[in-house]
DNA sequence: GCACTCTGGCTTGTGTACAATGCGCCCTGA
DNA sequence: TCAGGGCGCATTGTACACAAGCCAGAGTGC
């Protein structure tokens, strides 16, 4: 484990949020991608020094990236105890989905009004990329691109606070999907995405919102949030025993 | 300007978000308070070294606090050019208010269902504090406490993502009020707040939501978002010339 | 007189060293 | 054999030093 990337010349592919500017953006994007594509399992410890070696930067940069990830809820920052990949509980997942329905509805309505031709073109392109990923069998990239579609939709709605909130919600949703999706059904959201774009382009608010709500239902129904699925993560398994109020879940009883 | 606080013994009163734990929380809370109470005018440069001296900590801590404030939108972080107190444009203010209506409605509905007796008691206490502040003529504290009321309401709704979003929205709203409120009308929201608590306690969702929406209308009507008010801040005055997309507004034309 | 350039100073960005805290192992005693 | 306590190590928290990047002002040429 002593290999490292070349000292981070501004790499092009930085997936999401790829403002390929400063170093911490790159680190951020890489970790983010790794988490969403499940190369990093929930609960995994994210050591600052290890990451620093891997990316060839100092802990300062890593720390900033982790801080951003923590803000978006995909990483849990425990004081004096380091960062771990978040493992949202069922209850947390429900809360995220509730908030998402709310936001997606508003975004859809706004997008019907504000989306310009270029927005729509970009959205279509993203859906195509998404379809390609799934047909290629790249589930991780598919989840990520599906998320980016919803984020782009928020941008088309032209409301800055909602965009930022949506970014956080989408990140967490992706993590939840990665964690809870029942494997037997393929995640084929691109079809619904395309219909949605059509409705928005037709400026049919009623239809667009309906489609979006059904889309949310579908995502929801693909998850087993009703029962605990088998997991190697004690926190997830025993999440109903944990306090959900404080940001640092600890066992309520000694395990 | 060479005075400094005593080296930050864990001060108790840390206003909002007063997790009186680590140092950066304290710094964060103090700057936050200062901005909301208009002791720091929009556009003011926030020098890292100066703040570090004032609070008796190193730039590392200041930097973290500024980063958090930037996340909430009350501070603008310009790469290589330091931090300034945000001065939201009219358009940004409108977007914040749009998002707030959305969130407040959802929060109110949730609070009607989930608010427990202790939540309601705390809410009542906060409204009393708020009234005291205004009767004492402490407008800054009043604005802050009014914001904290709405934040507490979000907590009573028991949805973590909405709480965090609400925190950001309330912060920005407070900043907007501080910047745009027409001075001739007194900000007497505590009365409406109290009615709202009553409706929630009565579990009357319809009434509660109505009250909340009217409350939003009132706040809205107190601001002059229709025309530019006089301002000593070039960014605010010429905000319609500035790009609102990028996070770092620069003049579109040489001033 | 005006505008342009270059330089000096100041502020932020990054890396690193040291301090502090938490965790696990080992040792001891019952 | 197991529980409890103490110690050492590993990891994070903080401060500081150096590098890099802006900005303003003085100086110069047109």
């Amino acid at each position: 484990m002593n290999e490292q990337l070349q000292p981070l010349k501004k790499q092009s592919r930085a997936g999401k949020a790829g403002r390929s500017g400063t170093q911490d953006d790159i680190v951020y994007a890489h970790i983010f991608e790794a988490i969403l594509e499940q190369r990093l399992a929930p609960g995994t410890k994210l050591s600052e020094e290890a990451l620093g070696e891997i990316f060839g930067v100092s802990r300062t940069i890593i720390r900033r990236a982790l801080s951003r990830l923590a803000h978006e809820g995909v990483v849990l920052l425990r004081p004096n105890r380091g960062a771990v990949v978040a493992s949202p509980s069922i209850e947390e997942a429900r809360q995220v989905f509730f908030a998402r329905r709310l936001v997606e509805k508003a975004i859809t309505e706004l997008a019907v009004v504000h989306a310009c031709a270029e927005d729509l073109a970009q959205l279509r392109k993203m859906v195509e990329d998404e379809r390609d990923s799934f047909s290629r069998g790249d589930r991780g990239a598919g989840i990520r691109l599906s998320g980016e579609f919803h984020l782009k939709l928020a941008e088309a709605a032209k409301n800055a606070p909602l965009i930022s909130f949506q970014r956080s919600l989408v990140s967490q949703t992706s993590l939840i999907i990665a964690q809870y999706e029942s494997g037997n059904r393929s995640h084929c959201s691109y079809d619904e995405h395309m219909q949605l774009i059509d409705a928005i382009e037709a400026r049919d608010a009623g239809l667009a919102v309906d489609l979006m709500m059904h889309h949310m239902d579908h995502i929801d129904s693909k998850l087993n949030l009703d029962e605990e699925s088998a997991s190697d993560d004690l926190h997830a398994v025993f999440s109903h025993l944990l306090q959900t109020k404080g940001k640092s879940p600890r066992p309520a009883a000694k395990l």
Side-chain angles (χ1 to χ4, degrees), chain A residues 49-247:
Chain A
E49 192 167 357
L51 288 170
E53 251 180 57
I54 291 167
F55 288 103
V57 296
S58 79
R59 281 174 48 211
T60 310
I61 308 294
I62 302 294
R63 196 168 256 275
R64 276 233 299 282
L66 289 178
S67 166
R68 281 181 60 189
L69 289 162
H71 255 288
E72 288 190 10
V74 293
V75 153
L76 192 62
L77 229 52
R78 305 163 306 172
N80 280 317
R81 304 194 43 226
V84 293
V85 178
S87 53
S89 67
I90 303 278
E91 174 57 24
E92 283 166 341
R94 290 217 180 89
Q95 293 181 6
V96 169
F97 272 86
F98 180 92
R100 265 206 76 169
R101 274 172 198 278
L102 191 72
V103 170
E104 293 284 6
K105 183 164 181 291
I107 282 176
T108 306
E109 286 165 349
L110 285 175
V112 166
V113 178
H114 293 127
C116 62
E118 196 188 326
D119 289 330
L120 293 165
Q122 286 182 22
L123 283 167
R124 285 191 197 284
K125 175 150 188 337
M126 299 181 76
V127 176
E128 282 159 23
D129 287 350
E130 189 191 344
R131 178 167 46 206
D132 290 349
S133 288
F134 279 114
S135 69
R136 216 185 316 120
D138 191 345
R139 176 166 172 272
I143 293 176
R144 181 167 52 79
L145 285 165
S146 168
E148 284 175 28
F149 168 84
H150 285 269
L151 191 53
K152 175 64 198 161
L153 198 65
E155 282 167 22
K158 311 272 197 294
N159 182 299
L162 284 182
I163 292 171
S164 132
F165 188 35
Q166 175 80 329
R167 187 189 313 279
S168 162
L169 289 175
V170 164
S171 307
Q172 292 184 70
T173 305
S174 302
L175 192 61
I176 290 164
I177 291 176
Q179 209 178 342
Y180 290 107
E181 190 177 38
S182 40
N184 49 1
R185 257 169 282 186
S186 75
H187 186 79
C188 53
S189 56
Y190 47 82
D191 204 26
E192 292 172 13
H193 285 174
M194 206 50 107
Q195 288 178 39
L196 194 55
I197 299 175
D198 291 338
I200 290 171
E201 187 160 30
R203 310 297 172 189
D204 185 339
L207 177 59
V209 169
D210 272 358
L211 286 170
M212 178 59 91
M213 290 300 101
H214 284 136
H215 182 42
M216 291 289 115
D217 289 340
H218 285 167
I219 294 177
D220 222 334
S221 69
K222 277 179 202 144
L223 305 181
N224 5 348
L225 293 184
D226 302 319
E227 54 194 271
E228 301 282 349
S229 55
S231 165
D232 57 351
D233 182 83
L234 287 177
H235 282 288
V237 173
F238 298 113
S239 57
H240 59 290
L241 297 178
L242 305 178
Q243 310 190 5
T244 55
K245 286 293 276 292
K247 278 283 184 181

